[in-house]
Amino acid sequence: MHLKIEKIIEYCLANNILLTNQQSLIIKIITEIASPLTANEILHELQKLNPKANRMTIHRALEILVKNGIIHKVAFNHTYKLCDHLYCKHDHHCQILVCQECGNQTEIHNLKITEALLEIGKTYNFNLANPLEITGLCTKCQMKGTL
Amino acid sequence: MHLKIEKIIEYCLANNILLTNQQSLIIKIITEIASPLTANEILHELQKLNPKANRMTIHRALEILVKNGIIHKVAFNHTYKLCDHLYCKHDHHCQILVCQECGNQTEIHNLKITEALLEIGKTYNFNLANPLEITGLCTKCQMKGTL
DNA sequence: TGATATAATGTTACATTGTAACATTAAAGT
DNA sequence: ACTTTAATGTTACAATGTAACATTATATCA
Ligand SMILES: [Zn+2]
Ligand SMILES: [Zn+2]
Ligand SMILES: [Zn+2]
Ligand SMILES: [Zn+2]
């Protein structure tokens, strides 16, 4: 068993987040496949294990997992990824660098951004959501562009 | 005629961005309707003027306008809005506060965020895109939640 | 002007993401 | 075992967006 999965299960138990078999499988899929997945990709993976598995189940599970901060939904390319910081103790403001070319995602935890965001939140009385999506071109895709 | 539209037309002429009739109409729609619009909403508006108008035309026009920084595409709720800063001279790093409840959008221009982003861009060799979408709850929607 | 090349628009068909309403099945409580 | 509740599955639908191709304007040149 993956170490990450154990930590998540542990976290869920500690925080009274009940997981059904299928929801555990969805976490397993998202955890074991490193790259961010779309709902459909998760569905196809789940259907390898349970051919009757359905899109609704995926979306219902994703909703729970997002709500509990276990995974992040990335609006830019409709993907879902495990939160890297789940098992950390910090106050959990994360930012995700999303490559608009290849979809690669890097989760970071930058203090300056966090501070600037909190200030903006106060100034505009805006209740910030987590995470912050920062779109752009990753190193690889910048190289490709200049060829 | 709207003042903003004139400035945009002027900007396009100066920057060799050719606009067809329909593209001008799309700018007009986005400019005159204050709130951000989805592609479909823009289409419905355009069809009031040209019943044969087609979704493809909208998307093709939007692509040009986004590419030239005249409008922003907001991934969070698939909307398009006029860039408030088009006719400003500054180096144009903008951030948009997007309410995940009502969809309201406030475009800002915050130096601290910009600086922090540039630093991140360097650190991770990540070529930042504009604008930055900051999601959360606007003041109104925070109030609703506490009722 | 009239023929021809180019760009813009329109048409059709499709893939993807997501939800609403309802039916069925599994789990829990009595 | 019966009942209640929660989870899952089914069907149907709406919205966003694109690909491939047909048609129509627009510009260019003989
Ligand atoms: Zn995270
Ligand atoms: Zn990339
Ligand atoms: Zn802007
Ligand atoms: Zn709001």
Side-chain angles (χ1 to χ4, degrees):
Chain A
M1 255 289 187
H2 232 264
L3 220 162
K4 280 189 182 179
I5 298 176
E6 279 173 31
K7 291 223 176 185
I8 292 167
I9 302 292
E10 189 183 311
Y11 174 87
C12 289
L13 283 172
N15 290 75
N16 237 10
I17 302 163
L18 304 177
L19 294 179
T20 64
N21 274 4
Q22 249 175 157
Q23 287 164 2
S24 304
L25 283 179
I26 292 171
I27 292 178
K28 193 167 176 305
I29 289 166
I30 295 178
T31 308
E32 291 186 348
I33 300 182
S35 56
L37 298 170
T38 66
N40 264 359
E41 287 166 347
I42 297 170
L43 177 60
H44 294 332
E45 288 302 318
L46 185 58
Q47 282 178 335
K48 289 180 188 169
L49 307 168
N50 170 15
K52 294 186 78 182
N54 187 274
R55 180 188 303 146
M56 282 310 303
T57 306
I58 302 288
H59 282 289
R60 289 191 273 235
L62 291 176
E63 195 190 347
I64 293 171
L65 297 175
V66 168
K67 196 172 291 176
N68 286 289
I70 295 165
I71 63 173
H72 294 308
K73 169 168 187 166
V74 176
F76 178 76
N77 55 2
H78 308 124
T79 56
Y80 300 84
K81 79 179 282 288
L82 197 68
C83 172
D84 287 348
H85 300 128
L86 168 67
Y87 36 91
C88 294
K89 286 278 157 54
H90 59 62
D91 51 310
H92 197 92
H93 281 264
C94 39
Q95 299 92 35
I96 304 181
L97 305 180
V98 185
C99 177
Q100 56 200 172
E101 196 68 29
C102 69
N104 181 50
Q105 295 178 15
T106 308
E107 189 164 340
I108 66 173
H109 188 252
N110 182 283
L111 196 60
K112 273 199 182 176
I113 288 270
T114 301
E115 280 172 0
L117 282 179
L118 290 175
E119 206 175 300
I120 285 173
K122 270 190 195 168
T123 305
Y124 296 92
N125 190 19
F126 189 81
N127 195 343
L128 300 155
N130 199 57
L132 179 75
E133 290 182 35
I134 303 174
T135 53
L137 282 182
C138 77
T139 308
K140 273 189 193 174
C141 293
Q142 289 173 50
M143 307 281 275
K144 277 183 216 157
T146 56
L147 285 185
Chain B
M1 254 289 186
H2 232 265
L3 220 162
K4 281 188 182 178
I5 299 176
E6 280 174 28
K7 289 221 176 184
I8 292 166
I9 302 292
E10 190 184 310
Y11 174 87
C12 289
L13 283 173
N15 291 75
N16 239 9
I17 303 163
L18 303 178
L19 294 178
T20 63
N21 274 3
Q22 247 172 158
Q23 287 166 1
S24 304
L25 283 178
I26 291 171
I27 293 180
K28 194 168 174 306
I29 289 166
I30 295 177
T31 308
E32 292 186 348
I33 300 182
S35 57
L37 298 170
T38 67
N40 264 359
E41 287 165 346
I42 298 170
L43 177 59
H44 294 331
E45 288 300 317
L46 186 58
Q47 282 178 336
K48 290 180 187 171
L49 307 168
N50 170 15
K52 295 187 76 181
N54 187 273
R55 180 188 304 148
M56 281 311 301
T57 306
I58 301 288
H59 282 289
R60 290 191 272 235
L62 291 175
E63 194 189 348
I64 294 171
L65 297 175
V66 167
K67 195 172 288 173
N68 285 289
I70 295 166
I71 64 173
H72 294 308
K73 169 167 187 167
V74 176
F76 178 76
N77 57 1
H78 309 124
T79 55
Y80 301 83
K81 77 178 284 285
L82 196 68
C83 172
D84 287 348
H85 300 128
L86 167 67
Y87 37 92
C88 292
K89 287 280 158 50
H90 59 61
D91 53 310
H92 198 90
H93 282 265
C94 37
Q95 300 93 35
I96 303 181
L97 306 180
V98 185
C99 177
Q100 57 201 171
E101 195 68 29
C102 69
N104 181 50
Q105 295 178 16
T106 308
E107 189 165 339
I108 65 173
H109 188 253
N110 183 284
L111 195 61
K112 272 199 182 175
I113 290 269
T114 301
E115 280 172 0
L117 283 179
L118 290 175
E119 206 175 300
I120 286 173
K122 270 190 195 167
T123 305
Y124 296 91
N125 190 18
F126 188 82
N127 193 344
L128 300 154
N130 199 57
L132 179 74
E133 289 182 35
I134 304 174
T135 54
L137 283 182
C138 75
T139 308
K140 273 189 192 173
C141 293
Q142 289 173 49
M143 308 281 276
K144 277 184 216 156
T146 54
L147 287 185

